[in-house]
Amino acid sequence: LQKLIHLLQATDDPLIQEQALITLSNSAAFSVNQDVIRNLDGLSVIGGMLSNCVPKVKEKALNALNNLSMNIKNQEEIQVFITQVCRTVESAPLNSDVQLAGLRLLTNMSVTSDYHQKMINSIPCFLHLLSEGTERTQIQVLKVLVNLSANPAMTRHLLRAQV
């Protein structure tokens, strides 16, 4: 895992980045690896890939963070990327793999109310995706909205959102 994280930092080759992110994502299926990746500063390295202009690399980074977000300590570090993930969801092509990967990560990050405030500005986007997206996109957006609606502090924001 340490070598994969180092490789991710050391290369500009999108194909290598994509493969390293896939491997890290698969490794994150095991809880012990989630801790190891966090302790090796892997979350910030993977999060840095969200700025990559290659859609496949960005998608794989979102998938890896999604798998890593199943751990509360990892969520504490991943939460710094929520605003960037929301912007990615908003700017990605409608129904794209990048958009869906971002929505899946936001679903996991919104299971508890700890980070809902960071998603408020994206509520209009979520509602737009609900009306314009394909069924896959709609289902993923609904998961985020259901999580947000479980928090009474979000009611006003959800009802006042301009669509």
Side-chain angles (χ1 to χ4, degrees), residues 54-56 58-59 62 88-89 92-93 95-103:
V54 178
K56 280 289 182 194
K58 192 177 291 196
E59 174 199 348
L62 288 164
T88 298
V89 167
N95 306 312
S96 66
D97 290 337
V98 170
Q99 190 172 62
L100 286 166
L103 287 167

Side-chain angles (χ1 to χ4, degrees), residues 6-161:
H6 178 69
L7 177 63
L8 201 52
Q9 288 176 297
T11 186
D12 290 330
D13 184 332
L15 292 174
I16 294 173
Q17 290 171 334
E18 187 180 341
Q19 289 305 308
L21 287 165
I22 289 170
T23 304
L24 287 167
S25 182
N26 291 340
S27 298
F30 303 98
S31 55
V32 68
N33 289 344
Q34 293 173 4
D35 293 332
V36 170
I37 292 168
R38 181 185 64 253
N39 293 333
L40 292 171
D41 199 32
L43 296 174
S44 64
V45 173
I46 295 167
M49 295 286 113
L50 296 177
S51 301
N52 198 298
C53 59
V54 178
K56 280 289 182 194
V57 173
K58 192 177 291 196
E59 174 199 348
K60 301 310 181 205
L62 288 164
N63 288 340
L65 289 175
N66 183 47
N67 288 350
L68 289 160
S69 73
M70 304 308 285
N71 175 312
I72 296 295
K73 287 184 180 178
N74 285 354
Q75 281 191 1
E76 292 170 8
E77 290 191 31
I78 292 170
Q79 60 96 13
V80 301
F81 301 110
I82 289 176
T83 304
Q84 186 177 3
V85 172
C86 287
R87 281 194 308 263
T88 298
V89 167
E90 291 176 31
S91 64
L94 183 63
N95 306 312
S96 66
D97 290 337
V98 170
Q99 190 172 62
L100 286 166
L103 287 167
R104 282 191 295 272
L105 175 56
L106 292 175
T107 299
N108 280 351
M109 294 300 293
S110 64
V111 168
T112 66
S113 60
D114 296 346
Y115 311 113
H116 287 181
Q117 292 293 329
K118 294 177 178 276
M119 299 180 203
I120 288 174
N121 292 335
S122 294
I123 291 173
C125 171
F126 299 152
L127 295 173
H128 170 75
L129 293 176
L130 189 57
S131 67
E132 298 296 321
T134 61
E135 187 175 321
R136 283 177 60 203
T137 301
Q138 290 172 338
I139 288 169
Q140 210 55 59
V141 169
L142 281 171
K143 290 178 182 182
V144 175
L145 290 171
V146 164
N147 288 345
L148 295 177
S149 71
N151 179 356
M154 297 300 290
T155 303
R156 181 172 42 96
H157 302 289
L158 289 165
L159 293 176
R160 288 187 178 173

